Amino acid sequence: MKKTLLTTGCMLVLFLATLPTQAVAQGNIDWEELWRNTPPPPTQTNHPNAWMIPSKSFTGLAYDKWRDVVYIVNPHTSVAGPVFWQTPRIFAWKAATGTPASDIGRSADAQARGQGGELPVPIDTIASANGVQLFRGYSQNTYSLYKIDLDDEGRIYACNLVVPIWGICILLPSGMCDPVYLSQGPFRVWRWDTPVANPKLVYATLNPSGTAVGSMGNSEMTYTRWGDAFDVIGYRAMYTPPAPDPPYLVDSTRIYVGGGSYPTQPEWNREVNVILADTRPVNQRPNTDIGANYKLEYRLAVRLVNSNSGLASHGVAGTELSLVHDVWMDSNPRLTTAALHVQDANNPWPQTYSQQATGNRSLSTSRTGSSGALRYFELPEYGRKFIVVADGMPTGGLDPTIPNLNTTARIVDVTTPGQDFNVWGRTPQLGNKTLNNNSAEQNYIADVDFKLQYYTPQEDPVAPGLHVILYVLMSNNGIAAYRSRNAIPVELNTLNATVNGSNVDLRWNVTMESNNYGFEIERSFDGGNNYEKVGFVPGRGTTTAPMDYTFSDPVIATHHNVGNVKYRLRQVDNDGTHTYSPVVDVYFDATPNTITLYQNYPNPFNPTTTISYQLTEPGHVSLKVFNTLGEVVATLVDTDKDAGTHQINMSAEALPSGTYVYQLNVDGQVQQKKMTVMK
């Protein structure tokens, strides 16, 4: 069911008008293709994308929401010949069109030095100097740079292939060791603080004592670490300790890396390694090994050892910054699993935590496909959690010479364990070339990322609301952007719950319905771990008329010792698909503080508006403003308030035009409404 949002003034130009020449107008029932870049013919060496011609020439991508660009890792630039140890490059494309972002970055390449459209690559990734190979990466320096991601403040990270497997001997049919796996460098992570900043080496695999960069046979990571899972979350923030200690900067960035050993080895990889900011005094941190006169900033903190072998050799995604949280991981063709990450606050690093990967939570391959790369995101305002899953079992099994047609991606709602569902079907297939694309036969889509974009009714009259754009990279085949045809179905206007004698009265409002079968009312007595269905309210099918719905739950009649109860709605379409509403809390173990949140006035507004609310009892009041992505953009109140009516004036000066939600939370009771800024 689609429920409309209020009009926003966000200026968005529809992408289809500016597609690159190589784009094609194809899609399916759930996705439309915005643009596609494929390698030009080998004879077109002057083509702007001629760097895409060699095999293994693009291996990772990341969407930058701060600058609305997509970065693509180009590990080497040699168009012809077997020599791979070239200067890697990282290109920047406009996310809307797939064309070069000439206003972003500055190239360090000899032929385009200083020009935009590229990040400056670290000079120390150049894998040969004066004819001597330096082994800065993996596979005879084919992958000095390999994967890329951003943290939650917009800093950019790139790594070589997840290693080390220093000195491992993979036997060829001739009985000799495959030289591809010999003379590897350590696993390295570089960081760009801005797209024009000189990159800095912030991590390299250390020795077991963490005092210097490691070496073959003296490494804090095991030799079986072979794969391509890389994810970065977190940000920097000022921490204010108790007086008299001064505030100081804390870097919460978490870097997840995972791999899997070669299938013929006796042990498949079982680890995900978590790299965190090094909190030791500067003089105790190791030096770089590249000649630069500075210290490494991060170190290995936690080894997550899985009970099920092979997980996280292709996809890993962190979910939180806390000491205990879920980490999503997979290894195509195994199940996609959320395993627990536990970190001790007091024990020294690196720590080891044994995950029970198969005992936590796994998704059926009928839900995810044969998954590879992963991304995770939340819409906290709506209580929703999602993973983006890249998949594509090779058409010819493990035979890389057979063209691969199964290159897709999809989004799974993972909000409620056991009730996971696909928000849409899989994307169109990307390419049908041979699978000579990465370091391993079981890499399918090399990388995937996403963008959340709100469309007003003027910009998308058919399906206004919050849409997802997926960026899919299949090395050797191409890179494409797909936009969901329908908005994420999260636009329930309000859901309120109040105690009325022995009943709980629920009330919710929708402004428009499409294909709506109805609402199942669910409640939980254990803090949201388990929900039960307590009623059903039929929907109205398809209508543009707004509607207030109500339901009364006689909860006291069958549960005499009721404490706190959580309620939510499970909205079901006629085709069986469903979505969940935000959760509301009802309190029976104390006299409830009846709260009322009024509609702001004027609305829409510019430059100011007034928000009013009423309390029947004193309480702690939090009044926050969220954008359509669920991000907090303003905290208006966060303090104790007396009973009575309160008002606060809000300025639109710092907010762009658009639709926002303002939420009142009084001691756990929540109400929210929408407002619109029009400039």
Side-chain angles (χ1 to χ4, degrees):
M1 182 184 75
K2 301 169 194 157
K3 309 169 186 79
T4 58
L5 290 168
L6 296 175
T7 303
T8 177
C10 175
M11 296 303 293
L12 174 70
V13 178
L14 289 181
F15 301 158
L16 295 178
T18 54
L19 294 178
T21 56
Q22 65 269 40
V24 294
Q26 75 171 42
N28 60 14
I29 190 172
D30 290 319
W31 301 93
E32 60 178 317
E33 184 177 287
L34 298 182
W35 52 261
R36 173 184 294 210
N37 278 299
T38 57
T43 57
Q44 296 186 13
T45 56
N46 293 324
H47 192 281
N49 288 342
W51 55 270
M52 299 178 71
I53 295 174
S55 64
K56 309 176 185 178
S57 61
F58 45 103
T59 55
L61 64 78
Y63 172 65
D64 183 342
K65 69 177 183 180
W66 291 268
R67 304 161 188 101
D68 199 30
V69 297
V70 177
Y71 302 117
I72 302 100
V73 175
N74 173 221
H76 64 87
T77 58
S78 175
V79 176
V83 180
F84 292 145
W85 35 92
Q86 307 290 323
T87 307
R89 302 173 78 172
I90 299 178
F91 293 94
W93 287 350
K94 295 179 181 179
T97 62
T99 55
S102 58
D103 57 334
I104 298 294
R106 58 177 179 86
S107 176
D109 184 77
Q111 304 301 317
R113 190 176 304 278
Q115 298 179 18
E118 293 185 45
L119 298 181
V121 299
I123 191 67
D124 294 294
T125 60
I126 297 177
S128 64
N130 300 320
V132 178
Q133 297 182 46
L134 301 178
F135 298 107
R136 301 296 192 193
Y138 169 83
S139 185
Q140 296 187 9
N141 298 305
T142 305
Y143 303 116
S144 297
L145 292 178
Y146 184 76
K147 282 292 173 66
I148 188 167
D149 200 8
L150 289 87
D151 66 15
D152 296 324
E153 62 173 284
R155 295 184 296 176
I156 306 161
Y157 299 74
C159 67
N160 57 3
L161 191 62
V162 176
V163 283
I165 56 169
W166 290 324
I168 186 172
C169 178
I170 304 296
L171 290 176
L172 296 172
S174 64
M176 303 295 292
C177 294
D178 188 338
V180 166
Y181 301 96
L182 301 176
S183 302
Q184 311 304 328
F187 174 63
R188 301 177 186 272
V189 179
W190 302 84
R191 189 187 70 219
W192 291 252
D193 289 340
T194 70
V196 297
N198 289 326
K200 186 176 183 180
L201 180 67
V202 294
Y203 175 78
T205 305
L206 304 181
N207 59 26
S209 62
T211 57
V213 176
S215 61
M216 184 174 64
N218 191 33
S219 168
E220 63 185 358
M221 292 186 184
T222 62
Y223 82 94
T224 60
R225 300 198 65 341
W226 178 58
D228 58 4
F230 183 66
D231 188 44
V232 183
I233 63 174
Y235 51 88
R236 293 172 299 177
M238 293 302 297
Y239 172 71
T240 303
D245 294 335
Y248 59 91
L249 187 67
V250 176
D251 189 344
S252 70
T253 298
R254 289 179 178 270
I255 302 172
Y256 297 87
V257 297
S261 70
Y262 193 76
T264 59
Q265 295 302 302
E267 173 81 0
W268 277 44
N269 174 263
R270 296 174 181 261
E271 289 187 10
V272 171
N273 286 181
V274 187
I275 299 168
L276 304 179
D278 196 336
T279 57
R280 293 176 294 182
V282 173
N283 62 356
Q284 296 181 19
R285 301 204 315 251
N287 297 313
T288 66
D289 64 336
I290 56 175
N293 186 25
Y294 58 81
K295 302 284 187 175
L296 299 177
E297 295 184 18
Y298 299 92
R299 62 177 297 199
L300 177 63
V302 185
R303 301 184 187 96
L304 305 178
V305 181
N306 303 308
S307 62
N308 185 24
S309 64
L311 285 174
S313 59
H314 297 124
V316 63
T319 63
E320 297 183 38
L321 301 176
S322 58
L323 294 178
V324 180
H325 58 275
D326 280 339
V327 177
W328 285 96
M329 60 192 71
D330 61 33
S331 174
N332 194 327
R334 287 171 168 78
L335 298 176
T336 299
T337 295
L340 199 62
H341 168 181
V342 175
Q343 178 184 338
D344 190 287
N346 301 310
N347 287 342
W349 295 354
Q351 302 171 7
T352 298
Y353 175 72
S354 296
Q355 299 173 311
Q356 297 301 312
T358 57
N360 278 4
R361 181 180 180 189
S362 295
L363 305 179
S364 168
T365 53
S366 64
R367 182 72 64 204
T368 65
S370 301
S371 51
L374 295 177
R375 284 289 185 266
Y376 172 88
F377 70 96
E378 294 188 34
L379 296 178
E381 181 62 18
Y382 302 104
R384 303 279 295 281
K385 301 176 181 180
F386 307 87
I387 55 171
V388 181
V389 185
D391 62 34
M393 178 64 72
T395 306
L398 295 181
D399 185 348
T401 65
I402 298 176
N404 182 12
L405 304 178
N406 304 317
T407 55
T408 64
R410 66 192 75 196
I411 296 177
V412 183
D413 187 306
V414 294
T415 304
T416 305
Q419 299 183 26
D420 312 290
F421 63 94
N422 292 81
V423 186
W424 304 283
R426 62 183 187 176
T427 60
Q429 295 172 343
L430 174 58
N432 61 355
K433 294 187 178 180
T434 57
L435 195 64
N436 182 23
N437 63 322
N438 283 290
S439 64
E441 295 160 321
Q442 293 189 346
N443 289 336
Y444 308 120
I445 287 185
D447 215 348
V448 66
D449 211 339
F450 68 93
K451 172 184 179 180
L452 299 175
Q453 177 67 61
Y454 176 77
Y455 291 80
T456 69
Q458 288 77 16
E459 294 159 342
D460 189 343
V462 176
L466 188 62
H467 288 250
V468 176
I469 299 170
L470 292 186
Y471 302 99
V472 176
L473 179 151
M474 179 64 178
S475 192
N476 217 38
N477 283 349
I479 306 170
Y482 303 107
R483 172 187 179 268
S484 63
R485 294 187 182 275
N486 295 317
I488 298 178
V490 295
E491 304 308 328
L492 182 72
N493 271 2
T494 60
L495 173 62
N496 296 319
T498 57
V499 178
N500 182 11
S502 63
N503 296 336
V504 171
D505 291 339
L506 298 172
R507 182 183 182 91
W508 63 98
N509 170 267
V510 296
T511 57
M512 183 178 118
E513 300 174 47
S514 175
N515 196 32
N516 182 25
Y517 176 70
F519 302 90
E520 295 177 356
I521 294 86
E522 298 182 351
R523 70 184 175 202
S524 171
F525 294 104
D526 61 359
N529 293 321
N530 296 281
Y531 281 88
E532 60 180 343
K533 178 181 175 182
V534 297
F536 178 78
V537 175
R540 297 175 295 158
T542 299
T543 177
T544 58
M547 178 70 173
D548 289 324
Y549 285 93
T550 61
F551 178 82
S552 185
D553 178 26
V555 62
I556 296 296
T558 55
H559 298 80
H560 299 287
N561 297 317
V562 175
N564 298 345
V565 186
K566 291 181 180 290
Y567 286 89
R568 70 183 183 187
L569 304 178
R570 183 176 184 266
Q571 184 273 315
V572 184
D573 282 358
N574 288 325
D575 61 4
T577 59
H578 65 276
T579 57
Y580 288 96
S581 74
V583 174
V584 294
D585 293 277
V586 178
Y587 298 86
F588 288 91
D589 54 1
T591 301
N593 185 354
T594 302
I595 65 175
T596 304
L597 179 63
Y598 299 101
Q599 185 66 51
N600 66 298
Y601 182 83
N603 186 45
F605 70 97
N606 183 37
T608 61
T609 191
T610 300
I611 299 175
S612 302
Y613 58 94
Q614 187 179 50
L615 315 180
T616 60
E617 301 287 340
H620 186 87
V621 174
S622 171
L623 183 60
K624 296 182 179 180
V625 180
F626 297 82
N627 62 19
T628 56
L629 304 183
E631 300 168 333
V632 177
V633 296
T635 298
L636 305 179
V637 180
D638 188 13
T639 188
D640 293 333
K641 291 287 187 180
D642 294 329
T645 301
H646 304 270
Q647 291 185 341
I648 186 170
N649 291 325
M650 175 184 167
S651 171
E653 180 179 358
L655 298 177
S657 297
T659 299
Y660 298 86
V661 172
Y662 59 102
Q663 183 185 86
L664 176 68
N665 186 323
V666 182
D667 296 328
Q669 297 185 77
V670 178
Q671 291 185 13
Q672 62 188 32
K673 292 185 180 294
K674 292 184 178 180
M675 62 184 179
T676 301
V677 175
M678 295 191 68
K679 294 184 177 180

